[in-house]
Amino acid sequence: MASVEPSVVDPTLRDQLDIVIPTIRNLDFLEMWRPFFQNYHLIIVQDGDPSKTIKVPEGFDYELYNRNDINRILGPKASCISFKDSACRCFGYMVSKKKYIYTIDDDCFVAKDPSGKDINALEQHIKNLLTPSTPFFFNTLYDPYRDGADFVRGYPFSMREGAPTAVSHGLWLNIPDYDAPTQLVKPAERNKRYVDAVMTIPKGTLFPMCGMNLGFNRDLIGPAMYFGLMGDGQPIGRYDDMWAGWCIKVICDHLGLGVKTGLPYIWHSKASNPFVNLKKEYKGIFWQEEIIPFFQQVVLPKDAVTVEQCYLELSKQVKDKLSTIDPYFTKLSEAMVTWIEAWGELNSPDSKAADYKPSKVGTRAAK
């Protein structure tokens, strides 16, 4: 295994990580995650009707925010948070005060590895985030910082310290994360392949980020983890996590940060309706053929040295280059600016935590 400087942080990150869950339903799925999640703080973002009561199993430490809370806390800037779409989860990223975030969907269950053992997805994400990435030179043995692996012959010694890892992108067994056309032609397809690998996505390479099993270092990349304007009142849906993925990858490349993908797996239990998905996605399917070349050609200025500076510059380029596709991108670029302004207000030293109280809280059972 490649040598890494000893870490002084708690390897469980118990007091440094929040779990963010967007939902419209009771969170019974947490029972199967109890052995892995109970020692962590949960931030639940309730989408849809704020008058609906969301039941959370007893014994979890959590805070729950609904749309009324978002409107109260952000005021006019609440317009940047999507409604009736899982993109609302990024509000949880904003109100968190922890260094790390893990976000998971409520239809994601505990998967098993090939030996039949339950996979602690959170533990693997933490391992990914606490070890460096290798974005500048590909290691053919994948992640050299895992047990049983190292840098292969020919890997430059000058690059073996790696780069800080900003994002850990996990995968899914059972229901694959397909777009609607692929769902329609492969309705019975299931992902049964467990690939025991973690790899760094090379610098200059984009990827389709899925938000249902995702970890990231909030201090390194948090302000760029904006899931855009999706859902109610918007012409597009199901591109929230991909939009964020394109943005964070361009910014990570510019700032010298790494993005990993592969382990851990979760069990994606439920396939969404492909006809509903097609209605949400159809504009994005066309638009992405122009959006992706845009991100491939984005150049951020050298004086953009913070995530916020990079993101504001990116918003300008989105407005200049993508608004010709559809007026939606003018609105989206403005929302990107609003998001950064709101992030700054909630995370400034002068912000008052008392002003950001959620509708509902739960406490961990005493031991």
Side-chain angles (χ1 to χ4, degrees), residues 270-290:
K270 185 176 64 176
S272 49
N273 187 308
F275 297 100
V276 173
N277 290 346
L278 185 60
K279 186 176 180 181
K280 294 177 180 179
E281 293 175 3
Y282 80 96
K283 286 190 176 181
I285 291 170
F286 290 103
W287 289 350
Q288 71 183 10
E289 301 304 321
E290 296 182 65

Side-chain angles (χ1 to χ4, degrees), residues 100-113:
Y100 298 95
I101 296 288
Y102 174 56
T103 185
I104 185 172
D105 284 4
D106 58 18
D107 62 350
C108 294
F109 299 165
V110 177
K112 293 185 182 295
D113 67 19

Side-chain angles (χ1 to χ4, degrees), residues 49-106:
D49 183 1
S51 68
K52 180 180 178 180
T53 299
I54 299 293
K55 294 181 180 178
V56 182
E58 292 185 3
F60 285 95
D61 176 33
Y62 72 91
E63 51 194 287
L64 185 150
Y65 297 89
N66 61 31
R67 191 69 202 189
N68 291 339
D69 299 317
I70 295 172
N71 291 340
R72 170 175 51 82
I73 292 168
L74 295 185
K77 291 183 173 65
S79 61
C80 72
I81 304 298
S82 298
F83 183 57
K84 294 185 178 179
D85 193 281
S86 64
C88 67
R89 78 176 78 220
C90 60
F91 177 77
Y93 310 159
M94 184 185 286
V95 295
S96 171
K97 295 296 182 282
K98 303 290 178 62
K99 182 175 181 179
Y100 298 95
I101 296 288
Y102 174 56
T103 185
I104 185 172
D105 284 4
D106 58 18

Side-chain angles (χ1 to χ4, degrees), residues 33-273:
W33 287 103
R34 188 180 291 275
F36 308 126
F37 287 2
Q38 190 161 9
N39 289 330
Y40 294 87
H41 180 69
L42 312 182
I43 297 178
I44 300 163
V45 183
Q46 178 181 344
D47 196 18
D49 183 1
S51 68
K52 180 180 178 180
T53 299
I54 299 293
K55 294 181 180 178
V56 182
E58 292 185 3
F60 285 95
D61 176 33
Y62 72 91
E63 51 194 287
L64 185 150
Y65 297 89
N66 61 31
R67 191 69 202 189
N68 291 339
D69 299 317
I70 295 172
N71 291 340
R72 170 175 51 82
I73 292 168
L74 295 185
K77 291 183 173 65
S79 61
C80 72
I81 304 298
S82 298
F83 183 57
K84 294 185 178 179
D85 193 281
S86 64
C88 67
R89 78 176 78 220
C90 60
F91 177 77
Y93 310 159
M94 184 185 286
V95 295
S96 171
K97 295 296 182 282
K98 303 290 178 62
K99 182 175 181 179
Y100 298 95
I101 296 288
Y102 174 56
T103 185
I104 185 172
D105 284 4
D106 58 18
D107 62 350
C108 294
F109 299 165
V110 177
K112 293 185 182 295
D113 67 19
S115 72
K117 180 181 177 182
D118 284 350
I119 296 170
N120 184 346
L122 183 54
E123 179 182 53
Q124 181 63 51
H125 276 295
I126 290 170
K127 289 179 179 178
N128 293 347
L129 291 168
L130 292 183
T131 53
S133 295
T134 54
F136 309 118
F137 201 90
F138 188 79
N139 191 53
T140 52
L141 204 54
Y142 307 124
D143 190 343
Y145 304 99
R146 291 187 67 197
D147 289 336
D150 212 316
F151 293 99
V152 298
R153 182 171 56 90
Y155 200 100
F157 282 86
S158 60
M159 294 184 176
R160 295 191 181 195
E161 288 187 0
T165 301
V167 178
S168 171
H169 178 254
L171 300 175
W172 359 261
L173 294 171
N174 195 37
I175 306 295
D177 187 31
Y178 285 161
D179 52 41
T182 309
Q183 280 184 290
L184 287 167
V185 298
K186 294 183 173 181
E189 185 155 294
R190 299 294 181 264
N191 182 31
K192 300 177 181 179
R193 294 191 307 147
Y194 179 96
V195 180
D196 187 10
V198 178
M199 64 187 73
T200 298
I201 301 172
K203 181 179 180 179
T205 301
L206 297 175
F207 75 111
M209 189 173 82
C210 173
M212 73 172 81
N213 175 26
L214 182 71
F216 63 93
N217 185 321
R218 186 176 177 274
D219 286 358
L220 289 181
I221 201 63
M225 271 292 179
Y226 175 48
F227 276 42
L229 288 177
M230 303 283 154
D232 192 52
Q234 308 303 333
I236 186 175
R238 283 174 55 83
Y239 272 83
D240 51 330
D241 42 9
M242 282 179 281
W243 178 262
W246 297 326
C247 292
I248 63 98
K249 188 58 170 63
V250 166
I251 293 173
C252 283
D253 287 352
H254 176 75
L255 296 178
L257 303 173
V259 178
K260 293 182 179 180
T261 188
L263 300 180
Y265 284 94
I266 50 82
W267 181 268
H268 188 203
S269 66
K270 185 176 64 176
S272 49
N273 187 308

Side-chain angles (χ1 to χ4, degrees), residues 275-320:
F275 297 100
V276 173
N277 290 346
L278 185 60
K279 186 176 180 181
K280 294 177 180 179
E281 293 175 3
Y282 80 96
K283 286 190 176 181
I285 291 170
F286 290 103
W287 289 350
Q288 71 183 10
E289 301 304 321
E290 296 182 65
I291 296 171
I292 292 172
F294 160 77
F295 278 103
Q296 289 173 326
Q297 296 167 20
V298 161
V299 176
L300 298 174
K302 291 182 179 179
D303 60 357
V305 294
T306 68
V307 175
E308 290 89 342
Q309 289 170 346
C310 291
Y311 203 73
L312 289 174
E313 172 60 29
L314 192 55
S315 73
K316 295 176 186 176
Q317 295 191 33
V318 167
K319 186 173 186 178
D320 291 344

